[in-house]
Amino acid sequence: MIDKNVVQAIVNEWLEGKDYFMTDLSVSTDNRIVVEMDHEEGVWIEDCVELSRFIENRLDRESEDFELEVGSAGIGQPFKVQRQYEIHVGDRVEVLTVDGKKLTGVLGNVTPEGFTLTVQEKVKEEGAKRPKLTDRELAFGYQDVKYTKYLIDFK
């Protein structure tokens, strides 16, 4: 079986000096290697091809055959690393909490421990006839959410 650490070192070498970052890497027992990467401005297919060739040139198919897939993290997919949170600060996201509550709002401050989400709630102020939309900032630790993903809006 191909060592995941070897593949990770190869990917890290390719990433050096680039604005790309790795979001996921898996190596299965049957040597299926899957590398996901992301970039603040999106991932170009040419760069996926370049990374794929870079990995292939550093692994020896003669000693151990493998299947290789290099691709984008995907715009509608859940965030996997902190950097994805950082590049989406100010964007609308969807959060599913561990207790099953789904929220949409604007991604705020991101730290190594967690992030904030500004949601709009209807609040009826004293003396008012109707509820009014009010912003409320919620704080989450990464362990408090099942997923966070960029909210694609077709409006």
Side-chain angles (χ1 to χ4, degrees):
M1 186 172 132
I2 294 175
D3 185 359
K4 183 177 178 178
N5 293 325
V6 170
V7 178
Q8 185 158 358
I10 293 168
V11 172
N12 288 342
E13 182 184 345
W14 185 84
L15 291 172
E16 204 169 296
K18 294 178 176 67
D19 290 331
Y20 280 101
F21 56 95
M22 185 168 50
T23 60
D24 199 18
L25 168 64
S26 64
V27 180
S28 67
T29 54
D30 61 345
N31 284 339
R32 182 170 188 267
I33 303 166
V34 179
V35 179
E36 285 183 6
M37 63 179 178
D38 207 349
H39 186 282
E40 189 171 337
E41 297 171 7
V43 176
W44 297 96
I45 188 72
E46 294 85 1
D47 293 323
C48 292
V49 170
E50 183 182 319
L51 175 56
S52 180
R53 287 184 180 145
F54 189 83
I55 295 168
E56 283 197 35
N57 288 335
R58 282 161 178 73
L59 295 177
D60 183 12
R61 279 194 192 273
E62 299 300 320
S63 65
E64 205 161 14
D65 197 23
F66 58 90
E67 178 184 344
L68 177 61
E69 180 182 325
V70 175
S72 159
I75 194 160
Q77 297 300 311
F79 299 162
K80 295 179 181 174
V81 296
Q82 182 180 333
R83 179 97 184 265
Q84 289 176 297
Y85 284 84
E86 292 168 352
I87 64 176
H88 287 289
V89 167
D91 291 337
R92 289 187 49 78
V93 296
E94 178 180 280
V95 174
L96 179 63
T97 65
V98 290
D99 57 356
K101 190 172 183 182
K102 193 180 277 190
L103 304 163
T104 58
V106 177
L107 185 61
N109 188 39
V110 175
T111 68
E113 294 76 37
F115 61 95
T116 61
L117 182 71
T118 301
V119 297
Q120 288 195 324
E121 294 180 330
K122 287 184 179 180
V123 176
K124 188 173 180 183
E125 295 177 352
E126 195 175 319
K129 291 184 179 183
R130 294 183 181 195
K132 181 173 127 181
L133 279 178
T134 307
D135 286 346
R136 183 170 143 210
E137 188 174 271
L138 306 172
F140 294 97
Y142 297 112
Q143 74 280 357
D144 300 328
V145 298
K146 286 186 179 177
Y147 70 73
T148 302
K149 58 186 178 180
Y150 177 71
L151 192 60
I152 302 169
D153 190 2
F154 294 106
K155 292 180 185 177

